[in-house]
Amino acid sequence: MFRSRSKEEKASTSKVTADLSTQPRDPQAPKGRPTPKRSDAQSQRRRASSGAPLDRKEAMKRQREARRVDMAKQREALASGDERYLPARDKGPVRRFVRDFVDSRFCIAEFFLPLAVIILILSVIQVQNIQNISLLLWLGVIVLIVIDSIGLTFRLRKQLNERFPDTPKRGAVAYGLMRTLQMRRLRLPKPQVKRGERP
């Protein structure tokens, strides 16, 4: 009466339960869980059919993945100049024209960083004449950059007014001046025109 079941009995019991699990459930039998509300069931069905994430963790994972894909497209667009995936500050025909206008000329401002390094090295040398020369060079570079930037501002503003009379141009000149401060090979989006080429 209290003895343990033999191995054969255990095997036959497991076989019977396996057979029962493959058979369809009797509709009248209790299902072991409460029936969900209709609104809950409908929202769950809608979520499953739309492909929306079922929990917050899954939603965050999808959002991170989408952001990663967007950033990759944006990096590729900055290298190739593809207008569709550029950041908002670089989009539009006005910004494209400003980039081409700046990239087609030599600007003194783009050589500011290398010149600044050279002048800094000269100013460190403990010889009075060399330090005086470095100060004069520093002053000369700044004056030349200011004059060049003023000339570029007037020319760029004139070209923008001629080519885009009805298009908003707010911030376009400042965008161009900021681009002149970057060395040509480090500019993003990459230059699409050669030096001396008409934009």
Side-chain angles (χ1 to χ4, degrees):
M1 182 174 166
F2 294 107
R3 65 188 171 88
S4 64
R5 284 198 240 161
S6 65
K7 287 181 182 175
E8 292 87 10
E9 285 176 13
K10 283 182 184 174
S12 64
T13 310
S14 62
K15 194 184 226 182
V16 169
T17 51
D19 290 344
L20 285 174
S21 63
T22 56
Q23 293 176 353
R25 190 177 65 80
D26 180 19
Q28 301 301 320
K31 58 182 182 274
R33 60 182 169 77
T35 304
K37 290 182 183 175
R38 177 178 286 188
S39 60
D40 292 343
Q42 283 176 342
S43 68
Q44 200 170 5
R45 265 199 310 274
R46 249 185 257 119
R47 218 180 302 154
S49 65
S50 69
L54 297 172
D55 61 345
R56 188 165 168 264
K57 196 173 179 180
E58 180 67 24
M60 291 295 285
K61 187 178 174 185
R62 286 189 189 182
Q63 197 174 10
R64 269 197 309 272
E65 185 64 27
R67 196 169 33 238
R68 192 183 62 75
V69 169
D70 286 346
M71 290 300 288
K73 282 181 181 176
Q74 215 171 74
R75 274 195 303 274
E76 201 175 306
L78 285 169
S80 66
D82 187 359
E83 193 78 22
R84 292 173 298 170
Y85 303 113
L86 285 176
R89 71 186 171 93
D90 298 313
K91 274 186 180 175
V94 173
R95 297 294 168 111
R96 176 182 279 257
F97 174 76
V98 170
R99 284 196 304 272
D100 292 347
F101 187 86
V102 169
D103 293 338
S104 66
R105 347 183 99 55
F106 275 103
C107 298
I108 297 164
E110 72 182 276
F111 302 109
F112 174 73
L113 280 176
L115 288 171
V117 170
I118 291 166
I119 293 168
L120 195 65
I121 290 167
L122 289 174
S123 66
V124 170
I125 297 169
Q126 295 295 319
V127 177
Q128 189 62 40
N129 288 339
I130 293 175
Q131 286 184 341
N132 290 340
I133 290 168
S134 69
L135 267 171
L136 285 171
L137 277 173
W138 193 249
L139 188 65
V141 166
I142 289 171
V143 168
L144 284 172
I145 288 172
V146 168
I147 291 168
D148 188 40
S149 298
I150 290 168
L152 182 79
T153 301
F154 283 118
R155 286 195 303 272
L156 183 56
R157 198 168 278 155
K158 184 184 173 189
Q159 288 285 326
L160 284 171
N161 288 332
E162 283 175 11
R163 294 194 184 219
F164 307 98
D166 302 326
T167 313
K169 298 172 279 293
R170 188 169 176 228
V173 175
Y175 176 75
L177 289 174
M178 288 303 293
R179 193 166 174 85
T180 62
L181 288 169
Q182 300 164 337
M183 292 173 74
R184 184 181 166 87
R185 67 175 60 185
L186 302 177
R187 290 175 184 167
L188 288 174
K190 295 278 186 196
Q192 303 294 313
V193 295
K194 294 176 182 175
R195 289 194 198 271
E197 194 179 318
R198 281 271 180 193

